[in-house]
Amino acid sequence: MDGESLNKLKESLLKGQKYLGKDNSIGLVSYSDDVAINMPIKKFDVNQQSEFVGAVESLQANGGTATYDGIVVAMKMLQDELEKNPDTRPLIFVLSDGDTNQGNSLKAVRPLIEAYKIPVYTIGYNADLKALETISSINEAASINADTDDVVYKIRNLFNVQL
């Protein structure tokens, strides 16, 4: 995921963040061959907003695409957050080209996604949309095609409905 796709992804995140309320908590995970926790989950206050902008701007394409490994790490972060704050409403947003070629498979991760019942919203950039739609359908979440949809508008609507 390089060039225009990555630039659109960053733009979507930076523009979409203004629709997150300060009462929400957010973290950021990125993945290539491996998974990195770019930002642990914290309240989306001014400091977290600044950290988010820096983390998004530093994203770069390199290596493979371990989408399912990224989802597993995000789920673990959310489970840890739920232990501290049981009233948290956990959601995962996956922004990707959808071409998983590293790490776990959907077959391996699907039972975990089903068991934790965390909705996984997907946004595809020049993506294998079928794969992303399959991930989202597990717990009845939406999947967005960033190539044809107004992504920021759809993200705003998702945040307004879900948060």
Side-chain angles (χ1 to χ4, degrees):
M1 179 167 205
D2 201 7
E4 187 62 26
S5 294
L6 184 59
N7 291 336
K8 283 184 177 181
L9 180 145
K10 288 179 180 184
E11 179 183 0
S12 299
L13 287 171
L14 294 173
K15 286 182 177 178
Q17 73 159 331
K18 60 185 158 184
Y19 301 108
L20 290 168
K22 289 179 175 41
D23 293 332
N24 295 305
S25 296
I26 186 172
L28 181 67
V29 172
S30 63
Y31 52 91
S32 57
D33 293 333
D34 295 313
V35 178
I37 298 174
N38 302 83
M39 210 173 83
I41 298 173
K42 293 181 190 170
K43 283 283 184 201
F44 201 57
D45 60 14
V46 174
N47 292 333
Q48 190 75 337
Q49 290 173 11
S50 177
E51 191 173 332
F52 181 77
V53 170
V56 168
E57 289 176 347
S58 71
L59 292 174
Q60 49 188 304
N62 58 15
T65 304
T67 303
Y68 303 112
D69 293 1
I71 291 171
V72 169
V73 170
M75 291 182 94
K76 172 64 172 131
M77 289 171 62
L78 286 168
Q79 289 304 312
D80 292 346
E81 183 66 19
L82 282 165
E83 286 179 18
K84 293 185 282 186
N85 300 303
D87 294 334
T88 298
R89 185 170 181 199
L91 304 170
I92 296 174
F93 288 86
V94 174
L95 289 76
S96 178
D97 62 6
D99 293 330
T100 300
N101 57 19
Q102 296 286 325
N104 282 300
S105 67
L106 178 59
K107 183 178 179 182
V109 174
R110 182 182 199 109
L112 187 64
I113 296 170
E114 290 171 343
Y116 286 111
K117 297 180 177 28
I118 297 173
V120 181
Y121 294 87
T122 58
I123 303 171
Y125 297 80
N126 294 323
D128 176 353
L129 296 174
K130 201 71 139 163
L132 294 176
E133 288 168 357
T134 300
I135 295 167
S136 291
S137 71
I138 295 170
N139 290 322
E140 299 180 9
S143 184
I144 299 169
N145 179 353
D147 301 329
T148 60
D149 296 334
D150 181 344
V151 179
V152 175
Y153 173 78
K154 294 237 177 177
I155 288 172
R156 183 187 76 202
N157 288 343
L158 281 173
F159 289 165
N160 285 338
V161 170
Q162 298 302 328
L163 305 175

